[in-house]
Amino acid sequence: MLKFIVLADIHIVPAGRLSNGLETTSRLNAAIDFVNETHADADFVVFAGDLADRGEPEAYARFEAAVERLTLPRYLTLGNHDHRPTFLQHFGADHASETGNVDHVIDIKGHRVIVLDSSDPAAGGSGLLERTQLDWLQARLDEAGDRPVIIVLHHNITRFHTQNDFIILRDCAEFAGIVASHPDIRQVISGHVHMTVAGTYKGVPFCTLAGCHYSIEPTLESRSGPLPAPVARREGPGELAVVLSDADATVVHMEKFLDRHVVMPQEHFVRA
């Protein structure tokens, strides 16, 4: 049985600052304590992007210091809040694949897990897999043969009919076409939207986890209208994904390491 953990939307800030009113390093520490105490039998942890809130060097240093307490191997990738050059300068160029992005292949227990860097900070929140990454992904899927494949990336791969649909993965149809070419795609797991959602897109099964930062009320556009109509954001729950997979099935449990649901003041979401 393959077992791994996905954490997303960490949003670490330099010491003395808050991210949207939240002390995110303490939330990361709570997640790490939960994993160490509850899931020490897992094979590894994937941190699926938005490691830093604004990509600052000090934030990556605080993130690194916190995850050193994790007792499991870990794989990192980036989201729209990250800054790839700063990340690679801090963690080392060996964290990038031949694509130049923070992509990984993990072959373990008869599975292939592919971790993709969908960061494109210049795009205002939406995600991007560059041409080299899509070609790389196709090659890694072809290599996998008939092994089950699980993909982890930061951005969600289809519209959810909510206010944040404008920040999904761009060229998602091409991505789905490549993924669907593999005979045993088990899941595409993302963070980014701060909501728990599951479904299929062009035959590809996906799910998203709410993550370590604030959670968004999944208010449909039919009720809320388009942006900038405010929707409720809550302090929690802090959520991680526990992935269990064998030859026959893949199951993703969304578990809470924090259990707060207080609605947060809207003024916490006005960027300077």
Side-chain angles (χ1 to χ4, degrees):
M1 171 79 73
L2 170 65
K3 177 180 179 181
F4 69 93
I5 309 298
V6 181
L7 285 158
D9 298 290
I10 316 299
H11 290 271
I12 298 299
V13 293
R17 299 185 195 173
L18 300 176
S19 173
N20 301 113
L22 298 177
E23 211 302 298
T24 49
T25 299
S26 65
R27 293 169 75 92
L28 173 58
N29 286 328
I32 290 170
D33 289 342
F34 183 84
V35 172
N36 286 344
E37 294 167 9
T38 310
H39 296 296
D41 60 333
D43 294 292
F44 56 88
V45 177
V46 177
F47 287 89
D50 283 3
L51 312 180
D53 195 48
R54 300 194 181 188
E56 310 98 328
E58 300 92 336
Y60 288 125
R62 292 188 85 194
F63 173 84
E64 183 180 31
V67 299
E68 283 300 312
R69 298 192 305 106
L70 190 64
T71 59
L72 299 170
R74 77 289 314 238
Y75 296 88
L76 313 179
T77 195
L78 304 183
N80 51 292
H81 281 259
D82 290 303
H83 186 256
R84 190 178 297 113
T86 303
F87 172 89
L88 292 174
Q89 183 176 20
H90 182 85
F91 286 95
D94 58 334
H95 278 265
S97 71
E98 58 264 39
T99 67
N101 302 85
V102 187
D103 303 320
H104 307 281
V105 174
I106 309 160
D107 289 324
I108 185 170
K109 293 185 175 178
H111 292 68
R112 170 159 282 192
V113 180
I114 300 174
V115 181
L116 294 169
D117 173 359
S118 58
S119 172
D120 186 13
S126 64
L128 176 69
L129 296 176
E130 298 172 359
R131 181 75 260 161
T132 54
Q133 287 180 283
L134 292 171
D135 294 342
W136 181 88
L137 173 61
Q138 183 70 74
R140 303 294 81 78
L141 291 171
D142 293 344
E143 289 173 356
D146 60 357
R147 280 179 289 170
V149 171
I150 301 167
I151 297 175
V152 182
L153 75 165
H154 182 69
H155 286 82
N156 53 310
I157 64 169
T158 188
R159 296 180 63 237
F160 292 162
H161 307 287
T162 60
Q163 288 194 8
N164 50 12
D165 282 345
F166 71 101
I167 57 170
I168 68 173
L169 181 72
R170 304 200 302 280
D171 299 326
C172 51
E174 183 176 10
F175 168 80
I178 291 170
V179 171
S181 71
H182 186 74
D184 195 3
I185 290 291
R186 296 296 184 82
Q187 274 289 326
V188 174
I189 303 171
S190 305
H192 185 50
V193 289
H194 295 226
M195 294 186 292
T196 306
V197 183
T200 63
Y201 172 61
K202 294 186 177 293
V204 175
F206 71 82
C207 62
T208 66
L209 59 146
C212 294
H213 205 209
Y214 63 84
S215 294
I216 295 176
E217 293 286 300
T219 308
L220 299 182
E221 281 182 334
S222 58
R223 291 183 56 206
S224 68
L227 285 171
V231 296
R233 299 170 173 95
R234 298 184 183 272
E235 288 187 20
E239 184 175 84
L240 54 80
V242 181
V243 185
L244 304 171
S245 191
D246 60 21
D248 298 319
T250 298
V251 176
V252 184
H253 291 278
M254 303 303 180
E255 290 196 356
K256 310 296 187 286
F257 64 87
L258 292 174
D259 196 22
R260 287 179 59 80
H261 299 76
V262 178
V263 175
M264 301 172 68
Q266 286 294 330
E267 55 263 31
H268 286 326
F269 299 91
V270 177
R271 286 267 175 170

